């Protein structure tokens, strides 16, 4: 049976140790610009993060995600290797690349779109698994099950640049404490610097440690910088 969704005490127990050393938040400098009506960190960010910390998300888990998580957990137990979680992996190119660069890790890519995951990009490496699931539910199930990813990637999430959409950005979403509490090395990339600055503020509020925002120069290859990031324990 899949684990129950964690209570606030579990968040509190994991947040303090989630970021040592700090995560890397990197911006790609040569990407297209973002159009937004917001010119600085959102005024409601702190309140949104605080609410997420004090009122854990209680939304029922979708059955298809519960089943997908059970499959992923069984696969992970068979591999008995450190976990890399590629959250919001899209068509799975990043998952494939991470698996090739880390053959001694088990790499799980998660995306909600069956269409994206079904696109033909060749057979994934044997140490990788592509999973169709709702990330909000998948993260909470992973936390409740005690998953501790060695590395955790959020590569170019939808920035939702309109100010009215703060709650749709991951750092403004009620699931944010679960993302932090999973621990490991977290790397977030975006082509909108303000998204990363807000994410850094949210991490600082949740964990007491402020991550660094850096500029990323891919030099023609989307994932060149993956090898150079500093781990988070």
């Amino acid at each position: 049976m899949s684990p129950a969704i964690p209570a606030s005490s579990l968040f509190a127990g994991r947040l303090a140790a989630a970021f040592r050393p700090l995560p890397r938040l990197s911006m790609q400098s040569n990407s297209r610009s973002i159009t937004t009506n917001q010119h600085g960190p959102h005024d409601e960010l702190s309140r949104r993060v605080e609410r997420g910390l004090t009122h854990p998300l209680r939304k029922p888990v979708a059955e298809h995600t519960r089943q997908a998580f059970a499959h992923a957990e069984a696969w992970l137990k068979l591999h008995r290797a450190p976990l890399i979680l590629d959250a919001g992996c899209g068509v799975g190119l990043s998952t494939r690349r991470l698996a090739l660069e880390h053959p001694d890790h088990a790499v799980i890519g998660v995306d909600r779109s069956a269409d994206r995951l079904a696109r033909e990009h060749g057979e994934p490496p044997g140490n990788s698994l592509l999973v169709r699931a709702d990330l909000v539910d998948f993260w909470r199930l992973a936390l409740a099950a005690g998953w501790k990813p060695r590395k955790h990637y959020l590569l170019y999430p939808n920035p939702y640049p309109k100010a009215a959409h703060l709650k749709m950005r991951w750092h403004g979403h009620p699931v944010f404490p679960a993302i932090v509490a999973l621990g490991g090395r977290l790397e977030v990339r975006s082509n909108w610097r303000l998204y990363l600055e807000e994410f850094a503020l949210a991490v600082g509020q949740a964990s007491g440690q402020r991550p660094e925002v850096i500029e990323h120069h891919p030099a023609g290859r989307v994932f060149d910088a993956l090898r150079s990031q500093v781990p988070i324990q």
Side-chain angles (χ1 to χ4, degrees):
M1 180 179 294
S2 297
I5 298 302
S8 57
S9 60
L10 181 52
F11 287 130
R14 298 280 293 275
L15 284 173
F19 292 112
R20 294 194 179 96
L22 296 176
R24 283 295 183 90
L25 309 180
S26 57
M27 176 181 175
Q28 185 169 322
S29 61
N30 62 349
S31 55
R32 64 184 180 182
S33 61
I34 293 289
T35 300
T36 179
N37 60 348
Q38 188 180 324
H39 304 293
H42 203 291
D43 292 340
E44 290 293 306
L45 176 62
S46 179
R47 187 185 68 81
R48 292 288 308 177
V49 174
E50 181 61 27
R51 179 169 179 79
L53 291 168
T54 56
H55 296 83
L57 186 60
R58 302 293 185 186
K59 180 180 79 70
V61 173
E63 183 58 29
H64 78 84
T65 294
R66 194 177 292 279
Q67 293 177 10
F69 180 81
H71 172 66
E73 187 163 44
W75 178 88
L76 184 60
K77 286 179 179 178
L78 285 175
H79 279 72
R80 296 185 179 182
L83 170 64
I84 294 177
L85 186 59
D86 186 14
C89 66
V91 299
L93 290 176
S94 54
T95 305
R96 289 170 169 85
R97 183 60 180 266
L98 287 165
L100 291 173
E101 293 192 344
H102 301 85
D104 57 343
H105 287 65
V107 183
I108 296 179
V110 183
D111 200 271
R112 67 181 178 181
S113 171
D115 176 68
R116 285 194 290 264
L117 291 172
R119 293 180 194 176
E120 184 54 50
H121 290 288
E123 189 69 21
N127 64 322
S128 66
L129 177 70
L130 296 175
V131 179
R132 186 209 166 209
D134 182 321
L135 265 176
V136 172
D137 293 345
F138 197 92
W139 273 322
R140 292 185 296 154
L141 289 170
L143 180 62
W147 282 23
K148 296 180 181 179
R150 181 74 57 83
K151 303 173 184 180
H152 189 176
Y153 291 97
L154 272 170
L155 301 177
Y156 306 101
N158 191 327
Y160 294 104
K162 293 182 179 180
H165 294 164
L166 170 66
K167 64 183 180 181
M168 301 174 73
R169 302 170 197 165
W170 287 131
H171 47 274
H173 194 283
V175 80
F176 178 70
I179 299 172
V180 178
L182 279 169
R185 180 182 83 174
L186 176 64
E187 181 178 337
V188 184
R189 294 187 189 177
S190 177
N191 60 342
W192 188 29
R193 188 177 185 87
L194 185 54
Y195 185 97
L196 297 176
E197 290 174 350
E198 285 189 344
F199 203 102
L201 288 170
V203 168
Q205 182 175 343
S207 69
Q209 300 185 65
R210 180 75 179 273
E212 178 186 10
V213 178
I214 63 171
E215 197 166 88
H216 170 49
H217 300 274
R221 291 176 60 198
V222 176
F223 304 110
D224 277 359
L226 291 180
R227 288 189 294 266
S228 66
Q229 302 307 312
V230 178
I232 302 168
Q233 302 298 335

